Amino acid sequence: MAADTPALSSPCPNPNYNPDQNPNSPNPKDSSLDSLSLEPSLSPAQARPNEEDMLDETSQPSSLVTVPTAVLPSSLSPSSPIVAVTSTAPVAVPTAPASVDTAKVGIPTLLHLSFNQDYGCFTAGTNRGFRIYNCDPFREIFRRDFDDGGIGVVEMLFRCNILALVGGGRQPYYQPNKVMIWDDHQSRCIGELSFRSEVRAVRLRRDRIVVVLDHKIFVYNFADLKLVHQIETVPNPKGLCAVSQQQGSLVLVCPGGQKGQVRVEHYGSKKTKFIVAHDSRIACFALSQDGRLIATASTKGTLVRIFSTMDGTLLQEVRRGADRAEIYSLAFSVNMQWLVVSSDKGTIHVFNLKVNLGLTANDKPRPAPEPNVPAVSSSLSFIKGVLPKYFHSEWSVAQFRLPENSQYIVAFGHQKNTIVILGMDGSFYRCEYDPVSGGEMKQLECYNFLRPDQNI
């Protein structure tokens, strides 16, 4: 293997894995994840990135074992079985670690929260493992409690049982510079990707694995782990990156090479677009499912801007507030008529979008806007050339207020006009907004998912 060759590797390096013990494996009848089917593996495609961030053979000689992989169908649906990567190397197969009695060791500390690609599930990485939850109805699907380390990144692939894990916390279960590919059907790791610096984020599609480092982003084929692209960015400690999920259309958005700039990669048309979105540094962005819209916020946190990813046109600008704020999360509704925003101010805002991207032969007509949607533009717009920009800003239609002492991420629920809110304090909220009257949202559910026995 060449010194700069990225590889899936086996076995998992944690010494506490016991191949004869698997008390924490899921009951197939209870699992809500789609199981994987194993197929004969193909010869590995050797990617040669010639990249200093990739670990070479001399830096980890005992763990970098190239693993042949099988093809992952690009036409995979969320409910379809997929083909797992598997090793033919003569090595011991590690299984899941022994479970931990959480009642004895107390409530775990949250290290990571994220939704899956269709916002139907969410993952929680803790200082003692990870958990998967269903959003509607709310319930825990399964958990993996490790007795000696934390998980700082957990990325799902829709509802199938392939997960990407990265160690985190004061005592990482895996090294923070490695992406571990976990097959929960087998309750074990089936490989790893190793780098010279810490992994900040991982994004999965049915055909791609995207790994985000501080200054670089690597894009791999899921089928053979061939490195297909690498991108240099400005310092990106938050791991900002988004990929579209619509089949046949791969769009990737990441920070650009300059302050306030975002980079849009259109892999289908092989085009790159740079958008100067803000004067300040980019703090957060979101991509629509089809990759046509991007919403951006800067470190000022007062304005959110919506751009077309195709040509970089500014389509709409909405105002969260007048005071500076740290934007934690942005999300589009499926029909791209609404945008939800969370910040450190503790208020969740829902904005009505008025963008019109036009229709093509392959597009489904978007539903007509709800009648009597409250006007969010100031009535002083007729003199907006005279008054400061603040007075003719577009404000949110609906709001939901939360404590300011926690970080929240948001998404639109599967039921119409609902919002799902996740807090780093373990809180789960599901709220409903009125698209006609607006105003305060109605709370439908409220739980602490770290303490399911206690309703908030």
Side-chain angles (χ1 to χ4, degrees):
M1 183 174 71
D4 54 3
T5 302
L8 257 178
S9 309
S10 183
C12 293
N14 193 292
N16 290 312
Y17 274 120
N18 183 344
D20 300 319
Q21 194 175 50
N22 188 14
N24 207 25
S25 61
N27 183 342
K29 296 182 179 180
D30 296 334
S31 177
S32 295
L33 299 182
D34 299 319
S35 62
L36 299 180
S37 60
L38 295 175
E39 298 290 344
S41 59
L42 305 177
S43 298
Q46 297 291 328
R48 301 179 185 274
N50 192 23
E51 176 53 52
E52 63 181 4
D53 281 300
M54 298 300 299
L55 281 177
D56 57 29
E57 195 171 30
T58 59
S59 60
Q60 287 284 346
S62 62
S63 64
L64 286 185
V65 181
T66 303
V67 177
T69 61
V71 174
L72 180 70
S74 60
S75 60
L76 179 70
S77 67
S79 60
S80 302
I82 69 173
V83 179
V85 290
T86 182
S87 174
T88 58
V91 295
V93 178
T95 58
S99 60
V100 177
D101 187 347
T102 56
K104 294 182 179 179
V105 294
I107 303 303
T109 300
L110 268 179
L111 304 176
H112 168 89
L113 277 177
S114 66
F115 290 97
N116 73 337
Q117 290 81 357
D118 65 3
Y119 308 116
C121 297
F122 69 92
T123 63
T126 77
N127 63 332
R128 295 202 299 273
F130 66 92
R131 305 178 183 188
I132 307 293
Y133 299 85
N134 193 69
C135 289
D136 188 17
F138 170 76
R139 65 186 179 92
E140 182 178 306
I141 298 176
F142 69 86
R143 69 172 66 184
R144 298 292 171 259
D145 288 327
F146 303 157
D147 59 2
D148 61 346
I151 299 297
V153 174
V154 189
E155 184 74 6
M156 296 182 70
L157 179 60
F158 289 92
R159 282 181 175 267
C160 82
N161 54 310
I162 284 291
L163 304 170
L165 305 178
V166 179
R170 294 183 178 180
Q171 186 180 356
Y173 189 73
Y174 302 118
Q175 295 180 32
N177 65 322
K178 293 185 176 183
V179 178
M180 313 303 297
I181 309 301
W182 174 278
D183 178 359
D184 209 74
H185 183 63
Q186 303 180 55
S187 292
R188 68 181 182 96
C189 288
I190 55 175
E192 70 184 59
L193 288 165
S194 299
F195 304 87
R196 287 197 182 278
S197 59
E198 288 190 14
V199 175
R200 297 301 184 186
V202 181
R203 301 288 181 261
L204 298 181
R205 274 176 52 110
R206 298 181 181 107
D207 56 355
R208 294 290 188 273
I209 299 176
V210 180
V211 181
V212 185
L213 308 182
D214 272 321
H215 293 84
K216 291 183 178 68
I217 294 176
F218 295 92
V219 182
Y220 299 90
N221 275 332
F222 213 135
D224 53 15
L225 289 184
K226 179 180 180 181
L227 181 66
V228 296
H229 196 202
Q230 51 186 308
I231 302 169
E232 292 193 9
T233 69
V234 294
N236 188 15
K238 292 184 177 180
L240 299 179
C241 183
V243 294
S244 63
Q245 296 298 331
Q246 184 168 291
Q247 181 181 332
S249 171
L250 174 53
V251 179
L252 181 148
V253 176
C254 64
Q258 301 175 9
K259 181 178 68 174
Q261 184 185 74
V262 292
R263 174 173 178 162
V264 183
E265 291 290 336
H266 295 273
Y267 287 94
S269 58
K270 298 181 180 179
K271 293 182 179 179
T272 301
K273 181 69 181 178
F274 292 93
I275 301 173
V276 180
H278 300 273
D279 294 330
S280 305
R281 289 182 292 108
I282 300 295
C284 187
F285 54 68
L287 188 65
S288 61
Q289 291 275 39
D290 64 2
R292 293 194 294 174
L293 292 180
I294 179 176
T296 66
S298 74
T299 51
K300 289 184 178 179
T302 54
L303 298 173
V304 178
R305 292 174 175 146
I306 296 91
F307 297 89
S308 165
T309 60
M310 292 300 298
D311 56 14
T313 302
L314 175 61
L315 302 174
Q316 192 172 345
E317 180 180 278
V318 297
R319 181 174 288 276
R320 179 212 54 82
D323 299 331
R324 294 180 71 100
E326 182 178 359
I327 302 297
Y328 290 142
S329 178
L330 300 165
F332 288 97
S333 63
V334 174
N335 61 11
M336 294 184 289
Q337 285 188 302
W338 306 95
L339 179 75
V340 62
V341 180
S342 68
S343 74
D344 63 353
K345 296 298 183 182
T347 301
I348 308 301
H349 294 272
V350 175
F351 296 91
N352 178 221
L353 300 184
K354 303 180 179 65
V355 298
N356 183 6
L357 295 175
L359 297 177
T360 68
N362 295 324
D363 289 328
K364 295 181 180 179
R366 287 173 54 191
E370 298 280 358
N372 303 319
V373 170
V376 290
S377 296
S378 169
S379 60
L380 298 175
S381 59
F382 69 98
I383 55 171
K384 68 180 184 179
V386 179
L387 291 175
K389 202 171 186 179
Y390 174 88
F391 289 99
H392 61 265
S393 296
E394 296 186 40
W395 298 84
S396 60
V397 173
Q399 306 82 32
F400 186 74
R401 289 171 174 79
L402 294 162
E404 296 184 20
N405 58 355
S406 186
Q407 180 174 341
Y408 301 94
I409 63 172
V410 289
F412 286 88
H414 285 190
Q415 294 189 32
K416 188 176 182 181
N417 303 329
T418 59
I419 300 293
V420 176
I421 306 167
L422 309 177
M424 287 299 291
D425 57 358
S427 57
F428 172 94
Y429 297 88
R430 196 164 63 87
C431 306
E432 182 179 26
Y433 64 93
D434 189 328
V436 176
S437 302
E440 289 293 322
M441 290 187 242
K442 177 183 177 182
Q443 180 177 301
L444 301 178
E445 289 182 287
C446 187
Y447 302 100
N448 188 317
F449 56 82
L450 296 179
R451 295 290 296 269
D453 57 318
Q454 293 186 3
N455 216 333
I456 297 177

